[in-house]
């Protein structure tokens, strides 16, 4: 399979931004089944792009404009290939006591500690567990059932949750977006000793899956002998060739596609994001079509991570500076 | 002579329950203090009142102050300085020095292990959830190799002397241990006030700390850098320890920067100077982990530098101390220190640990709940002496309250037998005389890629309120100049 | 040196200098008015207006013009950003930000100075302490100036502080000239018949501590022409605009290594202004004092802005 992926973000600010930093985590991962052939990342201010890697080794881009601005847009485009995966390779319905013994062993817990630990976004008390795993069934079957349970129990709905919503809040609300589905899934899997990681990526939604026009999220779990396998609780799917992975981490915080720090006097801004994933024939020319229109959709959840550079100290400094300025103006 | 001696030590309370640093069991002055005692007895109480005022004014005028915030205004206060120095002889010091260095090294091995193979957990010596449940354990540090392999470049170990006359370690501070500037200021102040007494003793200098700190910082420079550019980063002029930050930068001759002075480009760190950007190689950071880099840790941090952590991970800049050391000076980890030292160094601990009961262990929790009145209850992750309950000072009602708090979250509390801090002669303004007060000792230990250093001296903190055991400056403590004698 | 710290040093210098001029103007102008030879110059309203004008610009309508109010606002009012108290407070805050770069001695003298002003009894000040307070300010600032000169390496740190000091000095001198120019205009008539021979010119010279120097130089009673020539154009008078410009020029050269500074740079503008004033004669100024004052004020603001933009951006 070949895909063309386009990501576009437009940020407009009410008052001029003096300085800002952005960090992007958008590039599809290079792995056994994925390969990016062509990639392009641009911004409307033509600011130089820095590259680095995040904590988990995934490539990130950074943008740090040197001049004040009111509006900036970013555009990332990728042409990539993805292997079609045999879905039956993942299936494993034989309950194996050795697997359960393994995941309970100390060494296993230490080796996979990073994806067994509870983070604030995946916090759930053992006593609150809404689904019980059974050692009579295989780990895979337990996870499949969990996937289905989450899918059936919760409603996919935007604007009821945000990037700080915890599984407990999601349980109360009964509705949310793919992050919430995924965080709850992770919380339950981890409490059952199954290493589970938050995965971000693109969903090829030719068939109208949930998660339209934004980046998608699902969970990857480690199954003994099989390795890491993706479960998409928002769609009740196993992640196969339609799931294009970008990165993984402990929770959303490690995988946010965009993180920004804005130095400005006013917090007011408007941000819109669009994502387009299109299947393409391998014989298509390697160009990104320019005539596609992007309907900007507001994606409020991500705004929360665009934090203000305005804690008390900075304000104090600003005030002091203002006093100095005033003083100068009046004294001269 | 005899009469003046009486007057300035008249209200000195000799309580056999505590180890007295100055007087022996029979009430005689100990040999090492005899000369000092004789010299001091030659001064009248008016002399000391005057000297005390002068010393206070000198601290105040130099701006060696910290801010105390009340309802309306910020007030500047000095950290009270005491005129009677503490003296530690060479032999006693030798044990302390070897002991704190041993702990500092063991902790460094421990942190490396935890962020790499976690062997000590696999061996069953330290429980896994002791580490992973700590808020200061940073998964971002997993697999990171800090320059020179050093995490806790600077350690501050707190010691007390119990009624049995032995030193015990109270805690190891390996995040941003503070107080070293006071050690140096105290020395300067005492020299000015009572220069005559120094001629009679041969004490080690404390002013070599800054030079050693700079050498330690230079020893952990990033690869490929010949002459590293070192800086100190501070949260800013409003921080209560700002004096110390500026003192350290100044005495090392390096820049004192704030987060907004620095920026990261292509994983290198630069500071904005009047002649444009200049690369920065080693940063002694006096801001907490959570505020270092808003892209990696707290996104609302205005104190840090976006991208700093990835520059650190790439090895292009060294942070002193490394991020994520905080889990290892947790009070719960403290209780495993004897095992940690044995495991990594194959040595017996040189300094004693106070016996500790873990409320997370059911049988020990039971003992604690039954014996609250005989114990000190401490929260595992609070600094500055907050949240501590001393059992024998509590009313029955308060004991019940403490019990409930512990039961609600046992993991958060440990308990220790009530240690009796030794007492020392301390000038008390109200009575214009020397009285006995409880003291502890903070030591400062440096660890670099190819050298280490223990400051020969330390901060003797004194609880100025009579009978008080808590010596922190935020809780009304003062400090003494501390002399380590040469042979 | 860090750009932010350079900014702190620059403003530390400016605020120390500003405090001194405001305090001295308060002192000299007030006390010399008490026995001024004409009624207008002796008038309370006249002198209080002049004091407030120099410290903060034209007096707002509805301001209750009493001695106590004016003294308090100019000297110790923590709410007024132009008060001497706040000048010293800002000077100290800026010193705090650059504490690792300045000498312990300098910091200590600024710190002591701040606590002295902070703890000065406001009631005593407005009723009896005017002379004592303003004299102490003048003395403390000269101690601080001596510490700047004597306890700092004469390198970039020193150059930046002195840039601030001299730009502020030129600014304050122009400001005092402006205030006294208006006083002289208002005092016309009566004993003080002629503007050019106004008593206010003597007061002006005293306010800038230049009266004795002036007498030695001209050996005549000051007139408008000779006073302006002396205070603006004489490079040997340490309190003249010209002298300040010379110093600003020397200090910017420590920071600026270009032999031929760029056209829009601070160093270029300073050099250009200096050259212009070197060949200015007093008759071109006297005809249009108001215009001249506006022009030099604008130039000084421009220079300060350029310095901030070039060296202090962080």
């Amino acid at each position: 399979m070949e895909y063309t992926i386009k990501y576009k973000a437009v940020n407009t600010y009410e008052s001029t931004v003096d300085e800002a930093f952005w960090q992007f985590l958008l590039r599809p991962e290079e792995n056994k089944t994925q390969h990016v052939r062509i990639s392009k990342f641009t911004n409307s201010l033509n600011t130089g792009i820095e590259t680095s890697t995040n904590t988990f080794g995934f490539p990130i881009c950074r943008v740090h404009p040197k001049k004040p601005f009111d509006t900036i847009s970013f555009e990332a485009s990728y042409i990539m290939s993805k292997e079609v995966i045999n879905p039956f390779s993942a299936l494993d319905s034989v309950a194996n006591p050795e697997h359960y013994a393994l995941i309970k062993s100390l060494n296993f817990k230490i080796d996979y500690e990073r994806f067994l630990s509870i983070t604030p976004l995946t916090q759930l008390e053992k006593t609150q567990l809404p689904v019980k795993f059974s050692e009579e069934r295989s780990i895979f079957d337990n996870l499949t059932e969990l996937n289905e349970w989450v899918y059936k129990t919760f409603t996919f709905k935007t604007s009821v949750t945000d990037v700080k919503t915890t599984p407990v809040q999601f349980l109360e609300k009964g509705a949310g977006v793919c992050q919430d589905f995924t965080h709850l899934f992770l919380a339950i899997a981890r409490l059952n000793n199954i290493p589970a990681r938050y995965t971000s990526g693109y969903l090829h939604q030719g068939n109208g899956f949930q998660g339209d026009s934004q980046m998608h999220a699902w969970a990857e779990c480690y199954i003994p002998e099989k390795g890491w396998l993706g479960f998409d609780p928002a769609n009740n799917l196993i992640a196969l060739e339609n799931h294009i992975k970008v990165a993984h981490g402990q929770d959303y915080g490690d995988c946010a596609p965009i993180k920004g720090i804005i130095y400005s006097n006013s917090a007011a801004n408007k941000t819109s994001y669009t994502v387009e994933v299109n299947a393409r024939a391998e014989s298509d020319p390697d160009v990104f079509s320019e005539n596609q229109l992007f309907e900007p959709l507001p994606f409020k959840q991500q705004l929360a991570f665009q934090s203000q550079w305005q804690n008390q100290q900075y304000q104090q400094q600003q005030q002091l500076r203002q006093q100095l300025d005033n003083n100068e103006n009046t004294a001269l | 002579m005899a009469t003046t001696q009486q007057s300035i030590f008249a209200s000195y309370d000799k309580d056999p329950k505590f180890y007295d640093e100055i007087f022996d069991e029979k009430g005689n002055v100990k040999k090492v203090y005899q000369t000092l005692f004789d010299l001091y007895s030659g001064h009248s109480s008016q002399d000391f009142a005057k000297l005390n005022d002068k010393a206070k004014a000198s601290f105040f005028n130099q701006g060696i102050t910290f801010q105390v915030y009340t309802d309306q205004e910020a007030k500047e206060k000095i950290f009270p300085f005491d005129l009677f120095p503490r003296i530690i002889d060479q032999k006693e010091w030798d044990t302390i020095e070897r002991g704190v260095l041993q702990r500092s090294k063991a902790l460094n091995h421990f942190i490396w292990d935890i962020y790499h193979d976690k062997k000590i957990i696999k061996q069953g010596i330290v429980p896994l959830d002791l580490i992973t449940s700590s808020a200061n354990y940073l998964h971002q540090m997993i697999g990171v190799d800090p320059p020179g392999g050093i995490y806790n470049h600077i350690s501050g170990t707190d010691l007390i002397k119990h009624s049995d006359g032995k030193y015990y370690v109270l805690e190891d501070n390996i995040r941003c241990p503070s107080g070293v500037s006071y050690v140096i200021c105290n020395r300067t102040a005492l020299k000015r006030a009572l220069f005559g007494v120094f001629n009679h003793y041969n004490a080690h200098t404390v002013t070599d700390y800054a030079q050693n700190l700079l050498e330690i910082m230079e020893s952990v420079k990033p690869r490929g850098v010949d002459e590293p550019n070192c800086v100190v980063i501070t949260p800013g002029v409003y921080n209560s320890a700002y004096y110390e930050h500026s003192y350290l930068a100044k005495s090392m001759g390096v820049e004192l920067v704030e987060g907004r002075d620095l920026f990261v480009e292509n994983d290198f760190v630069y500071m904005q100077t009047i002649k444009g950007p200049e690369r920065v190689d080693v940063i002694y950071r006096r801001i907490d982990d959570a505020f270092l880099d808003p892209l990696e840790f707290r996104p609302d941090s205005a104190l840090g530098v976006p991208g700093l952590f990835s520059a650190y991970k790439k090895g292009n800049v060294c942070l002193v101390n490394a991020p994520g050391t905080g889990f290892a000076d947790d009070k719960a980890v403290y209780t495993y220190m004897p095992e940690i030292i044995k495991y990594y160094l194959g040595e017996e601990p040189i300094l004693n640990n106070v016996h500790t009961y873990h409320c997370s262990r059911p049988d020990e929790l039971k003992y604690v709940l039954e014996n609250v009145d005989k114990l000190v209850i401490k929260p595992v992750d609070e600094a500055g002496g907050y949240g501590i309950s001393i059992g024998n000072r509590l009313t029955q009602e308060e004991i019940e309250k403490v019990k409930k708090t512990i039961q609600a979250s046992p993991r958060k509390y440990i308990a220790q037998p009530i240690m009796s801090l030794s007492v020392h002669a301390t000038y008390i303004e109200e009575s214009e005389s020397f009285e006995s007060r409880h003291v502890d000792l903070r030591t400062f230990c440096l660890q670099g890629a190819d050298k280490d250093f223990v400051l020969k001296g330390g901060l003797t903190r004194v609880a100025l309120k009579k009978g008080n055991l808590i010596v922190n400056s935020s809780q009304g403590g003062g400090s003494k100049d501390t002399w380590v004698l040469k042979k | 040196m860090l750009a932010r710290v350079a900014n702190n040093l620059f403003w530390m210098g400016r605020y120390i200098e500003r405090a001194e001029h405001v305090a001295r103007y308060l002192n000299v102008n007030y006390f010399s008015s008490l026995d001024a030879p004409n009624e207008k110059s002796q008038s309370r309203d006249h002198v209080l207006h002049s004091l407030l004008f120099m410290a903060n610009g034209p007096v707002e309508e509805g301001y209750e013009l009493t001695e106590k109010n004016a003294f308090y606002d100019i000297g110790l009012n923590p709410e007024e950003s132009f008060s001497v108290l706040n000048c010293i407070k800002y000077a100290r805050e800026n010193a705090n930000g650059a504490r690792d770069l300045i000498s312990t001695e300098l910091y200590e003298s600024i710190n002591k100075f701040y606590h002295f002003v902070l703890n000065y009894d406001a009631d005593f000040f407005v009723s009896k302490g005017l002379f004592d307070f303003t004299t102490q300010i003048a003395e403390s600032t000269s101690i601080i100036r001596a510490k700047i000169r004597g306890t700092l390496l004469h390198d970039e740190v020193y150059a930046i502080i002195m840039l601030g000091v001299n730009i502020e000095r030129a600014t304050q001198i122009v400001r005092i000239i402006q205030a006294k120019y208006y006083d002289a205009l208002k005092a016309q008539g009566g004993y003080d018949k002629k503007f050019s021979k106004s008593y206010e010119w003597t007061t002006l010279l005293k306010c800038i501590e230049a009266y004795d120097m002036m007498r030695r130089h001209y050996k005549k009673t000051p007139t408008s022409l000779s006073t302006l020539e002396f205070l603006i154009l004489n490079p040997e008078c340490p309190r003249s605009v010209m002298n300040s410009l010379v110093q600003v020029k020397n200090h910017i050269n420590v920071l600026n290594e270009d032999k031929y500074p760029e056209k829009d740079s601070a160093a270029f503008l300073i050099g250009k202004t200096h050259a212009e004033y070197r060949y200015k004669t007093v008759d071109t100024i006297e005809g249009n004092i108001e215009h001249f004052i506006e022009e030099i004020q604008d130039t000084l603001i421009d220079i300060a802005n350029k310095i901030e933009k070039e060296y202090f951006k962080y």
Side-chain angles (χ1 to χ4, degrees), chain C residues 154-217:
Chain C
H154 286 208
D155 62 359
E156 290 166 343
V157 172
Y158 180 72
I160 288 169
I161 299 175
M162 293 312 286
L163 265 181
V165 166
N166 282 291
I167 285 179
E168 186 67 24
R169 181 175 300 167
T171 309
Q172 292 300 331
I173 287 164
V174 173
R175 189 149 184 119
I176 290 174
I177 292 173
Q178 189 183 22
K180 293 316 290 179
Y181 165 75
Y182 289 132
D183 287 353
L185 277 185
K186 284 191 225 158
Q188 281 183 85
Y191 173 88
D192 223 14
K193 280 186 199 74
K194 277 195 75 184
F195 171 78
S196 70
K197 296 212 170 116
S198 175
Y199 172 74
E200 301 290 347
W201 302 122
T202 303
T203 316
L204 168 57
L205 285 161
K206 286 183 177 163
C207 288
I208 301 177
E209 286 185 331
Y211 183 70
D212 294 346
M213 292 189 277
M214 161 83 184
R215 291 302 295 224
R216 227 176 83 89
H217 189 77

Side-chain angles (χ1 to χ4, degrees), chain A residues 19 66 320-321 323-328 330-332, chain C residues 7 14-15 18 81-82 90 93 171 175 297 301 314:
Chain A
E19 210 180 350
K66 300 275 186 322
L320 179 63
R321 177 59 64 79
Q323 279 167 353
L324 301 188
D325 290 349
N326 291 344
N327 217 29
E328 191 190 20
T330 52
L332 288 173
Chain C
N7 191 32
R14 289 195 74 155
Y15 278 118
R18 186 175 298 179
S81 62
F82 61 83
Y90 299 147
E93 276 180 16
T171 309
R175 189 149 184 119
Q297 278 183 342
I301 293 174
Y314 54 93

Side-chain angles (χ1 to χ4, degrees), chain C residues 24-289:
Chain C
R24 190 156 15 74
Y25 192 77
L26 188 56
N27 177 321
V28 178
N29 204 34
Y30 180 79
F31 288 109
S32 59
S33 76
L34 293 175
D35 56 353
N38 69 76
E39 259 179 51
K40 185 72 189 171
S41 293
Q42 253 189 27
S43 135
R44 291 307 76 205
D45 278 12
H46 177 72
V47 70
L48 294 180
H49 259 117
S50 177
L51 295 177
L52 283 162
F53 178 84
M54 185 273 171
N56 188 40
V59 180
E60 273 175 48
E61 248 179 79
Y63 184 87
E64 200 196 326
L65 196 66
T66 63
E67 282 195 359
K68 283 188 177 176
N69 280 351
F71 292 172
Y72 180 65
D73 285 349
I74 297 171
L76 288 174
N77 191 344
E79 308 293 326
E80 295 291 0
S81 62
F82 61 83
S83 69
V84 172
L85 168 67
N86 274 324
C87 287
I88 308 300
K89 187 174 157 220
Y90 299 147
R92 177 173 175 268
E93 276 180 16
N94 280 296
N96 275 339
R99 191 160 173 179
D100 55 315
L101 285 191
I102 60 178
S103 62
T104 316
E105 294 80 3
L106 174 57
Y107 183 80
E108 191 168 333
S109 56
I110 293 172
N111 193 44
K112 271 163 83 172
F113 187 25
Y114 166 71
H115 286 295
F116 163 75
V117 177
L118 188 69
N119 296 324
Y120 204 91
D121 184 339
D123 289 333
F124 177 77
F125 166 63
V126 296
S127 55
K128 301 186 197 84
L130 183 67
F131 183 79
D132 175 63
F133 178 75
T134 51
T135 311
Q136 296 257 27
I137 300 287
E139 276 177 14
S140 296
T141 47
S142 47
I143 290 173
I144 291 171
R145 211 176 297 114
K147 301 271 184 193
I148 293 171
R149 261 183 91 83
T151 69
L152 294 177
L153 204 60
H154 286 208
D155 62 359
E156 290 166 343
V157 172
Y158 180 72
I160 288 169
I161 299 175
M162 293 312 286
L163 265 181
V165 166
N166 282 291
I167 285 179
E168 186 67 24
R169 181 175 300 167
T171 309
Q172 292 300 331
I173 287 164
V174 173
R175 189 149 184 119
I176 290 174
I177 292 173
Q178 189 183 22
K180 293 316 290 179
Y181 165 75
Y182 289 132
D183 287 353
L185 277 185
K186 284 191 225 158
Q188 281 183 85
Y191 173 88
D192 223 14
K193 280 186 199 74
K194 277 195 75 184
F195 171 78
S196 70
K197 296 212 170 116
S198 175
Y199 172 74
E200 301 290 347
W201 302 122
T202 303
T203 316
L204 168 57
L205 285 161
K206 286 183 177 163
C207 288
I208 301 177
E209 286 185 331
Y211 183 70
D212 294 346
M213 292 189 277
M214 161 83 184
R215 291 302 295 224
R216 227 176 83 89
H217 189 77
Y218 290 93
K219 302 186 175 64
K220 272 185 195 137
T221 310
T223 64
S224 58
L225 200 72
S226 60
T227 306
L228 289 177
E229 184 178 61
F230 191 63
L231 291 184
I232 293 167
L233 299 176
N234 190 326
E236 278 156 12
C237 167
R239 293 286 164 87
S240 74
V241 175
M242 187 62 194
N243 185 283
S244 303
L245 277 174
V246 172
Q247 295 218 43
V248 167
K249 187 169 154 267
N250 292 340
H251 293 303
I252 197 85
N253 285 342
V254 177
L255 305 181
N256 180 63
E257 283 155 350
D258 305 334
K259 204 171 168 197
Y260 302 103
E262 273 181 54
K263 209 174 82 192
D264 289 332
S265 68
F268 183 85
L269 182 61
I270 292 166
K272 188 177 148 195
T273 313
H274 171 250
E276 230 173 85
Y277 279 80
R278 223 180 131 187
Y279 298 105
K280 227 183 224 340
T281 51
V282 71
D283 45 325
T284 58
I285 296 174
E286 218 216 356
N288 199 349
I289 295 181

Side-chain angles (χ1 to χ4, degrees), chain A residues 307-323:
Chain A
S307 58
Q308 272 289 315
W309 189 273
Q310 271 184 333
N311 83 343
Q312 197 188 356
Q313 171 148 27
Y314 185 67
Q315 279 171 356
Q316 276 173 332
Q317 307 275 7
Q318 280 293 98
Q319 276 165 9
L320 179 63
R321 177 59 64 79
Q322 260 165 18
Q323 279 167 353

Side-chain angles (χ1 to χ4, degrees), chain B residues 16-303:
Chain B
K17 279 208 301 290
F18 306 112
Y19 182 88
D20 195 308
E21 301 273 356
I22 306 205
F23 298 98
D24 64 17
E25 300 84 3
K26 292 176 196 138
N28 297 321
V29 178
K30 289 182 183 169
K31 203 171 147 237
V32 71
Y33 281 99
Q34 187 63 56
T35 314
L36 188 71
F37 191 81
D38 291 343
L39 289 163
Y40 270 37
S41 302
H43 290 69
S44 68
S45 61
Q46 288 92 325
D47 288 344
F48 279 108
K50 228 184 262 170
L51 286 170
N52 190 49
D53 285 345
K54 284 250 164 75
K56 272 165 62 182
S58 154
F59 274 93
F60 192 74
N61 287 338
Q62 288 177 68
I64 306 170
T65 49
F66 60 95
Q67 302 267 356
V68 180
Y69 296 92
T70 56
D71 308 337
Q72 295 291 317
E73 46 173 359
K75 253 193 138 172
E76 277 175 50
K77 280 198 151 182
I78 62 164
F79 183 31
F81 158 73
D82 184 55
L83 289 167
F84 204 112
R86 178 195 210 154
I87 306 175
I88 300 173
D89 72 30
Q90 171 70 38
K91 199 167 146 249
E92 203 170 291
W93 180 258
D94 191 51
T95 312
I96 295 176
E97 181 163 329
R98 285 187 300 117
V100 298
L101 194 57
Q102 180 192 50
R103 293 178 80 91
S104 164
K105 286 190 166 163
L107 281 167
N108 197 59
H109 282 286
F110 178 54
I111 300 167
W112 195 92
D113 185 23
I114 292 300
Y115 285 127
H116 290 80
D117 307 329
K118 298 191 175 65
K119 282 189 189 134
I120 196 164
I121 304 176
K122 289 182 179 167
Q123 300 278 323
I125 296 167
V126 171
L128 177 64
D129 71 333
L130 185 73
I131 307 303
T132 54
S133 64
S134 167
N136 298 307
Y137 169 70
L138 297 182
H139 78 89
Q140 287 91 339
M141 283 297 290
I142 293 172
V144 175
D145 288 313
I150 306 291
Y151 291 87
N152 54 320
H153 311 81
I154 301 156
S155 317
T157 298
D158 291 345
L159 302 165
I160 57 150
K161 206 180 232 185
H162 190 44
S163 51
D164 59 7
K166 285 183 192 153
Y167 281 104
Y168 286 81
V169 174
L170 272 193
E171 60 183 2
D172 303 283
N173 297 281
I174 55 173
R175 279 171 255 186
C176 292
S178 64
V180 73
S181 60
Y182 291 117
V183 174
I184 294 144
C185 293
N186 285 352
R187 177 63 55 86
T188 312
L190 195 70
K191 278 199 283 194
R192 283 183 190 170
L194 291 151
F195 53 88
V197 301
F198 275 86
N199 305 334
H200 300 273
Y201 284 91
N202 202 354
H204 280 284
T205 180
V206 287
T207 49
D208 54 351
Y209 181 80
Q211 184 53 36
N212 279 284
L213 177 59
L214 184 61
E215 283 168 23
I216 294 286
M217 284 174 73
E218 286 172 340
S219 81
V220 290
K221 64 192 179 189
R223 283 179 301 276
V225 175
D226 284 338
E227 284 179 23
N229 191 5
C230 303
V231 301
V232 178
I233 188 168
T234 171
V237 293
Y238 303 104
N239 186 274
S240 61
Y242 181 74
Y243 169 71
E244 177 152 309
H245 307 159
S246 69
Y247 172 82
L248 288 171
K250 186 176 182 162
S251 51
M252 288 193 283
V254 305
E255 297 289 353
L256 178 65
V257 305
E258 292 179 18
R260 55 206 170 118
D261 295 321
L262 302 182
F263 67 96
V264 174
E265 202 164 278
N266 290 313
D267 289 333
F268 285 93
V269 183
Y270 299 88
M271 60 182 177
Q272 205 67 261
T273 77
I274 54 171
K275 288 180 179 159
E278 203 176 292
R279 199 183 141 183
V280 171
D281 305 299
V282 185
I283 301 175
Y284 176 21
R285 48 95 174 203
R286 294 295 293 258
I287 55 181
D288 293 341
D289 289 354
F291 296 96
L292 280 176
D293 180 348
L295 289 174
E296 196 60 57
F297 305 107
R298 276 181 62 159
D300 60 344
S301 165
L303 307 175

